[in-house]
Each structure stands twice: as structure tokens, then as C-alpha cells.
């Protein structure tokens, strides 16, 4: 995931879904900070459907456009930018026909200068452009070729700017009359929305300015514009104004984000129909135009100068120029940093370092809190950089990496939990009943279900068949195997039913313990109850064995409680989940003493104390291999019966339930 996002962030791989998400994030950020107020410095003079219905279809005669320009400045307009191109001569007044007739009629030829002044609409338009400060528009094309006149360039072109091979401008007479012009090109993203605009573009060795930039130069009284370069890349523009240089940061290709205003904060619009209407109130026109920058354009659907922008589906192209101009005048144009790929790579590596190191060591809630903090920090810093520095920092790839790593961590946690359940079933299935393994698997992290060796207080049982050697001699091997299988199955079932863990079968003996792998505070009592149940179950087994002609079995059981080592013990070739310690040896010795004392069940003193069951003390006994004497007890086989009590030693306090 990290490698994939690094390749995308550094431009080595194109991931359209991430690009789409990046556009959505930009739109949300733009909507959050878009001002809801009007820029009263700018008014749009709109050739709308109403104007076309009143004045006729497009294109209008140049004389009418000249009258529109004159009227706007008569009402106090400060500056005008034209979001339209006049590339072809205007023959609507019939001047070409008059000139053709004049070549055949000498009298008409003599009047031609007067007639040309009257019917040459392009000359009328040129005169209007000379009288007023108007910036024309032109376009750049990715197809080679040039049409009409070229305006003066803005500055020498930085080599880092991509070149546009084609050019389309206005008639030479009109361009010469106006003097200045700016290109009108819009940058359309893959989803059809216009989010960015070029301030400068290169053709040949010259750089040209956009219509908003050329208007800003006029308004700010700029004496010249220079590129700001760093490491061979364009960083922005420096406008030399009367108040000092004004810096306009841009991307490497001269692009900026269009600072659109909210839907309720658009620009004042005046229909061209109202300005050309002789019945219009002069006071209203003057209030609308006096001291304003006028952008002449069209919102009419048939003129195809509409596009979509993030905050509005249908948006006039002239309003986009108004937005860029507003940002230029305020010095608040947003741009993407040229080092954005490097920043994105550093953010991705930092996030990966934090999450890949921290998440595996965290549970669900701390991991979620860390992820949420990272998301909040990334988003907060990005919004702050946009608001305070007017910079678009990389956000999409870091957010995707953060969410993806957290999602992968959740998936791994689920897989690990499932693996833990399966591991528990595999590890402990041979020691405890399936029902207990399933209960352990439902909460594998609640307790330390592990095979690692640890010290724990447990109760250990040894159960041995008395006289097994004689029994084995009297039975055929097949019958002996069947008898022992039935015996082991019954005893194992009883041990499991009383929460015991089967350790192993040692010949004819059964070894089990209580208190691991699941903690059991009543392990001693459960061990004694299991022993009593085993003896009772053996009585039923013997009835079945007698019916089959098999010998009767008698067992001796010893139980002791104490601290032992429990875990996965053994060699590299063979290991087992078992217990070791002196308490285990004592349990084995107690099982062997049953024959000496004529009982079937003996328990140690700690077992008797914790089991808290009726039992009889058989007095102190010195076990083989032990120096200190040990009190041993014989629990009753039922709650009502048991061996006769034996007096206790004064230095050993018997359990309260013992007699």
C-alpha cells in the first residue's frame, strides 16, 4: 500500500480513483472557505438570452458592440475586459458590397471615404477601443497555426512553462487599437469541472498573460511583471506596482486554483439589453457601473460559454475570469506547491512509520484513537495551510494510507483472532473437551491461554489401575485393548466434565490437573469431585465389564495441590502440555499410598483445605523422597459416608471441613 501510494504521489503511477478523490477533497475545502459576499469592484455585463432576444442573434454588428462599450464608460466604468474574440471582419453593414460597386462607379468611388467611415463597423469598434481602456481576449491552441493579430507579450517565457503551438486573436485593427489582450483558456479536469486557471502561458519565446492578469496589471498600475524561479521551475509572478512588488504564487505551469465564491456571493450582473435600452434609468446604470471593472461576456446557452465548477453546475465562463481577477486584486490566489510530491512522500513515510510500528502493539480503542488523531492532524493542517498560506498541501494519499493501514490492521486483528481460536483448538483439543476449547476460543485474549511455561497453583491427580499386570495376563490383547479404551474414555469424560485437563496416559494410569489452561479458583474441589465421580463411574463400568466376561477394575487416586510449572515441555522432537514440580510428585506418592491405607482416594493437606469437603485425616506420613511428614486425607466417597476420623497432629491445623 505504501509503495503504491508513493508511486502515485510522485507521479510515477496514475491512479484515477485517487485523482477523483483528490478533486472531491478540493471541492469540499473550496466550499468550506468560499466567501459568501460579493466583490463590489467587479460587474459582469452579460450578453444573455434577454439581450439576444431584444437586439438580435449573435454575432452583433461591431457598431452595436462599440455603442455598448461607449455606454458602459459613459456611465462611469473604470476598465473593461472582453471575454470574446473578434477574429473576422464585420461585413454586416454592407461595406464590402459598396466597395465592389465603387470600383465600377466613379461617382460612388469619390464618395467611398465618406461611406467607409459610415459603414466600416470595424473602424467604429477600433475608435471605441482607442477611447477607452479595454483589454481584449484571445485563445491559445494545442494545434499549430496562427490567426489574426498577436498582442504584445507579458514577459520572456520561462523554459519550464509548457508551450502552446497555436494562437487565435482579434483583427489587427482592433488589437492595435486596444493594445492589451489576455488569453481566455480554461483548464478542464477529467470530470468536466473547471478548478484551475492559468495566469501565464508560453508560445515560442514569449509568455502571455490571462485576461484577469492583464486586467489586474492595468488596475494595479504595474510597470512590469517578472517570473519567480526556483530550481528551474516557475514559483510565481512578481508584479512591479507603484506600491512595490506584489507576489502572486503559482504552480510550476503558471496555474492557480480559481477562488470561486459561494452561490450567494456571486458577482453583480447587468444585462446588455438594459444598458442598450434607451428607456433604462440612468441613475441605476451609473450605480451599477461607476468605478467598476466591467467584464463583457455571455451566459446565453446558445453561445457555449458555460461550464461546470465545483459549487455550481452551470457557470458562465466570464464569471470564472471575474473570480480569478478578484483573487488577484486581493492577493489571495490558491496554488499547489511545486514540492507537493516530496511533501506527500514524507507524509506517507511518516504515517507508515507511526502506524506500522504502533498499531501492532495496540488494542482496538488505542489504535482507533491514534488513527483518528492522525486523520485530524492531517486534515487540520491542510485546512490551515489553505486558509493561512493559500497553499494546497497533499492530503488524499496520506488520508488513504492512514485509513487503509487502519483497515488492514482491523482485518489482521480479525484474522489473528480467528487464528488464535484455531490455535487454541489445535493446542488444547487433545487435553480438554471440545466444549471447553470452544469456550476458550470465544475469548482467546481474556486469559493467558498459552503453552509457554509458567508457575501456577494447580491440583494434580494420578489414577492407577490396581493389579493391572495380573489383568493383562488373563486377557487376550484385543480384549485388553477394548477394556482399557472403554476405561480411559469413561475416566477422560469424567475429568473433562469436572473442568480437568488430561495430561497423559501412563500405561494404565491417568494423569490430569485442574487450574490450567483456564484459571479455576475451585480447582481443588473440582479435582476431588472428579475423583469421586470417577469411582462412581467405575462401578457402572464394572457391571458392563462383568457382562462381557472381563475382570473387575479397581483404581487408586492421589490428588495434591501446590505450585507447579505448567506449559509446553519436552525436547525438540517431542513436547507435551504438562506439569512439573514437587506437588506433582506428591500426588503420585499419594496414589501409591492408597493400597497401604486401604482406601481408593487420598489427598494432600492443601487440597483438603481448599476443597472444603468432608474427609478423614489419616495422620502424618513421610513420603518417599521427602524428609518432612505430610498430613494426608481420605475424602468421603459420598457426603454422608467416609472413613473413621483419625486424631490430628497438634502442629498441623486440619481443614475446617475435615473430621
Amino acid at each position: 500500500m505504501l509503495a503504491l501510494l508513493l508511486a502515485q504521489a510522485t507521479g510515477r503511477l496514475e491512479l484515477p480513483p485517487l485523482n477523483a478523490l483528490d478533486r472531491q477533497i478540493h471541492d469540499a475545502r473550496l466550499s468550506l472557505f468560499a466567501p459568501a459576499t460579493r466583490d463590489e469592484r467587479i460587474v459582469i455585463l452579460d450578453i444573455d438570452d434577454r439581450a439576444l432576444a431584444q437586439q438580435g442573434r449573435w454575432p452583433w454588428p461591431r457598431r452595436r458592440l462599440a455603442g455598448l462599450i461607449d455606454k458602459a464608460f459613459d456611465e462611469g466604468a473604470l476598465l473593461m475586459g472582453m471575454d470574446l474574440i473578434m477574429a473576422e471582419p464585420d461585413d454586416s453593414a454592407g461595406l464590402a458590397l459598396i466597395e465592389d460597386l465603387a470600383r465600377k462607379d466613379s461617382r460612388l468611388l469619390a464618395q467611398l471615404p465618406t461611406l467607409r467611415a459610415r459603414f466600416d463597423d470595424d473602424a467604429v469598434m477600433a475608435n471605441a477601443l482607442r477611447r477607452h481602456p479595454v483589454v481584449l481576449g484571445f485563445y491559445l491552441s494545442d494545434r499549430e497555426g496562427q490567426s489574426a493579430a498577436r498582442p504584445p507579450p507579458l514577459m520572456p517565457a520561462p523554459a519550464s512553462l509548457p508551450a502552446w503551438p497555436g494562437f487565435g486573436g482579434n483583427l489587427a485593427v482592433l488589437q492595435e487599437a486596444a493594445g492589451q489582450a489576455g488569453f481566455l483558456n480554461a483548464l478542464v479536469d477529467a470530470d468536466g469541472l473547471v478548478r484551475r486557471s492559468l495566469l501565464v502561458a508560453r508560445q515560442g519565446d514569449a509568455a502571455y498573460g490571462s485576461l484577469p492578469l492583464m486586467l489586474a496589471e492595468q488596475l494595479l498600475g504595474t510597470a512590469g511583471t517578472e517570473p519567480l524561479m526556483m530550481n528551474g521551475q516557475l514559483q510565481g509572478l512578481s508584479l512591479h506596482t507603484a506600491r512595490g512588488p506584489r507576489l502572486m504564487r503559482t504552480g510550476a505551469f503558471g496555474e492557480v486554483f480559481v477562488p470561486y465564491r459561494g452561490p450567494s456571493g456571486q458577482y453583480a450582473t447587468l444585462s446588455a439589453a438594459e444598458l442598450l435600452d434607451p428607456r433604462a434609468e440612468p441613475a441605476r446604470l451609473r450605480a451599477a457601473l461607476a468605478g467598476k471593472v466591467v467584464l463583457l461576456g455571455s451566459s446565453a446557452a446558445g453561445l457555449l460559454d458555460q461550464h461546470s465548477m465545483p459549487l455550481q453546475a452551470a457557470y458562465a465562463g466570464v464569471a470564472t475570469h471575474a473570480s480569478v481577477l478578484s483573487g488577484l486584486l486581493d492577493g489571495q490566489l490558491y496554488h499547489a506547491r511545486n514540492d507537493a510530491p516530496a511533501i506527500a512522500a514524507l507524509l506517507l513515510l511518516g504515517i507508515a512509520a507511526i502506524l506500522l510500528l504502533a498499531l501492532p502493539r495496540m488494542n482496538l480503542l488505542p489504535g482507533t484513537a491514534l488513527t483518528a488523531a492522525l486523520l485530524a492532524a492531517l486534515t487540520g493542517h491542510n485546512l490551515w495551510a489553505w486558509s493561512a498560506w493559500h497553499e494546497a498541501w497533499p492530503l488524499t494519499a496520506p488520508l488513504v494510507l492512514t485509513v487503509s493501514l487502519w483497515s488492514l490492521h482491523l482485518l489482521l486483528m480479525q484474522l489473528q483472532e480467528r487464528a488464535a481460536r484455531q490455535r487454541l483448538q489445535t493446542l488444547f483439543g487433545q487435553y480438554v473437551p471440545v466444549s471447553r476449547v470452544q469456550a476458550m476460543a470465544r475469548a482467546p485474549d481474556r486469559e493467558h491461554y498459552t503453552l509457554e511455561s509458567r508457575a501456577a497453583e494447580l491440583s494434580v491427580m494420578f489414577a492407577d489401575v490396581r493389579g493391572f499386570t495380573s489383568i493383562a495376563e488373563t486377557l487376550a490383547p484385543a480384549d485388553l485393548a477394548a477394556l482399557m479404551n472403554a476405561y480411559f474414555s469413561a475416566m477422560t469424560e469424567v475429568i473433562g466434565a469436572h473442568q480437568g485437563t488430561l495430561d497423559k496416559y501412563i500405561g494404565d494410569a491417568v494423569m490430569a490437573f485442574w487450574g490450567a489452561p483456564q484459571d479455576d479458583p475451585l480447582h481443588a474441589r473440582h479435582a476431588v469431585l472428579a475423583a469421586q465421580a470417577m469411582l462412581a463411574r467405575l462401578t457402572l463400568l464394572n457391571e458392563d465389564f462383568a457382562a462381557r466376561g472381563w475382570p473387575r477394575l479397581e483404581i487408586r487416586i492421589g490428588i495434591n495441590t501446590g505450585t507447579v510449572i505448567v506449559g509446553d515441555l519436552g525436547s525438540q522432537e517431542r513436547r507435551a502440555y504438562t506439569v512439573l514440580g514437587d506437588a506433582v510428585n506428591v500426588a503420585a506418592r499419594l496414589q501409591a499410598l492408597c493400597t497401604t491405607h486401604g482406601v481408593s482416594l487420598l489427598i494432600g493437606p492443601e487440597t483438603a483445605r481448599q476443597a472444603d469437603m468432608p474427609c478423614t485425616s489419616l495422620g502424618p506420613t513421610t513420603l518417599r523422597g521427602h524428609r518432612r511428614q505430610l498430613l494426608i486425607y481420605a475424602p468421603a466417597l459420598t457426603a454422608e459416608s467416609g472413613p473413621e476420623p483419625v486424631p490430628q497432629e497438634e502442629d498441623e491445623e486440619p481443614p475446617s471441613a475435615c473430621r
Side-chain angles (χ1 to χ4, degrees), residues 243-580:
R243 297 183 178 180
R246 173 174 288 204
L247 302 182
M248 299 293 178
R249 297 287 182 180
T250 70
F253 299 148
E255 77 280 6
V256 295
F257 291 106
V258 180
Y260 291 110
R261 293 176 177 265
S264 61
Q266 303 298 342
Y267 301 91
T269 301
L270 180 67
S271 173
E274 188 171 357
L275 188 60
L276 293 174
D277 188 353
R279 298 168 296 178
E281 298 180 6
R284 184 181 184 282
L285 296 179
R286 178 159 290 274
L289 298 172
K292 306 292 180 64
V293 181
V294 178
L295 292 179
L296 177 61
S298 175
S299 66
L303 298 187
L304 304 178
D305 191 25
Q306 287 193 352
H307 54 249
S308 297
M309 64 96 155
L311 306 182
Q312 194 168 320
Y315 199 68
V318 65
T320 299
H321 298 311
S323 298
V324 177
L325 176 59
S326 178
L328 282 166
L329 297 178
D330 293 335
Q332 294 185 356
L333 284 177
Y334 301 92
H335 65 282
R337 294 174 60 102
N338 290 349
D339 57 357
I343 293 176
L346 290 175
L347 287 174
L348 291 173
L349 292 173
I351 291 168
I354 293 172
L355 294 183
L356 292 178
L357 291 175
L359 286 181
R361 295 171 171 81
M362 291 183 169
N363 293 327
L364 179 61
L365 290 180
T368 302
L370 174 62
T371 304
L374 274 177
L375 292 174
L378 287 169
T379 305
H381 179 271
N382 190 274
L383 295 178
W384 179 76
W386 179 268
S387 174
W389 297 342
H390 304 137
E391 294 179 351
W393 279 52
L395 182 60
T396 304
L399 288 184
V400 169
L401 180 65
T402 304
V403 174
S404 298
L405 289 182
W406 174 234
S407 301
L408 289 173
H409 177 62
L410 289 180
L411 176 61
L412 288 176
M413 289 179 67
Q414 293 293 328
L415 294 177
Q416 288 170 355
E417 184 177 353
R418 180 180 298 178
R421 294 192 181 102
Q422 294 175 347
R423 187 166 59 252
L424 283 172
Q425 294 175 1
T426 301
L427 295 178
F428 296 112
Q430 56 184 316
Y431 302 111
V432 296
V434 174
S435 60
R436 285 183 61 196
V437 175
Q438 292 174 347
M440 294 162 62
R442 282 193 290 269
D445 295 329
R446 185 174 299 172
E447 299 183 41
H448 299 289
Y449 303 135
T450 175
L451 289 184
E452 294 182 2
S453 301
R454 61 188 177 95
E457 185 187 70
L458 307 180
S459 294
V460 184
M461 168 194 286
F462 281 87
D464 179 66
V465 177
R466 182 179 300 168
F468 178 74
T469 301
S470 300
I471 295 174
E473 291 177 350
T474 61
L475 287 177
D479 288 338
L480 179 62
L483 179 144
M484 293 309 296
N485 284 339
Y487 165 72
F488 283 140
S489 297
M491 298 301 102
T492 302
E493 180 182 347
V494 172
I495 291 171
H498 289 79
Q499 303 183 33
T501 298
L502 177 67
D503 187 313
K504 61 177 71 73
Y505 304 122
I506 310 171
D508 60 294
V510 176
M511 178 180 175
F513 53 87
W514 280 256
Q518 284 178 301
D519 291 339
D520 181 7
L522 299 178
H523 53 83
R525 183 176 183 85
H526 290 154
V528 175
L529 290 175
Q532 293 174 334
M534 290 167 66
L535 294 170
R537 181 70 175 271
L538 185 61
T539 301
L540 299 177
L541 273 179
N542 283 328
E543 294 177 1
D544 181 62
F545 292 167
R548 299 188 186 188
W550 293 345
R552 176 185 179 85
L553 297 183
E554 295 182 7
I555 60 175
R556 303 171 299 182
I557 302 174
I559 301 173
N560 187 49
T561 299
T563 300
V564 299
I565 300 300
V566 59
D568 188 26
L569 303 172
S571 66
Q572 293 182 352
E573 289 77 17
R574 179 172 297 180
R575 305 179 70 85
Y577 185 70
T578 187
V579 290
L580 292 177

Side-chain angles (χ1 to χ4, degrees), residues 52-77:
L52 294 178
Q54 182 186 94
Q55 300 293 329
R57 65 181 184 179
W58 189 261
W60 286 351
R62 300 277 161 76
R63 187 181 301 269
R64 187 175 302 158
L65 284 176
L68 189 65
I69 294 173
D70 286 335
K71 185 66 182 260
F73 282 97
D74 289 344
E75 298 300 339

Side-chain angles (χ1 to χ4, degrees), residues 5-87:
L5 291 175
L6 280 173
Q8 192 273 343
T10 54
R12 291 176 172 80
L13 181 66
E14 189 72 15
L15 298 175
L18 258 66
N19 293 336
L21 180 59
D22 188 60
R23 291 191 292 266
Q24 293 176 3
I25 289 176
H26 169 79
D27 296 348
R29 184 175 53 201
L30 178 67
S31 177
L32 182 63
F33 289 97
T37 57
R38 281 188 175 184
D39 188 341
E40 300 296 342
R41 299 167 296 186
I42 301 172
V43 62
I44 295 174
L45 185 55
D46 190 8
I47 303 174
D48 55 9
D49 291 322
R50 173 188 169 191
L52 294 178
Q54 182 186 94
Q55 300 293 329
R57 65 181 184 179
W58 189 261
W60 286 351
R62 300 277 161 76
R63 187 181 301 269
R64 187 175 302 158
L65 284 176
L68 189 65
I69 294 173
D70 286 335
K71 185 66 182 260
F73 282 97
D74 289 344
E75 298 300 339
L78 182 64
L79 177 66
M80 178 178 287
M82 298 187 68
D83 184 19
L84 50 89
I85 299 172
M86 298 171 287

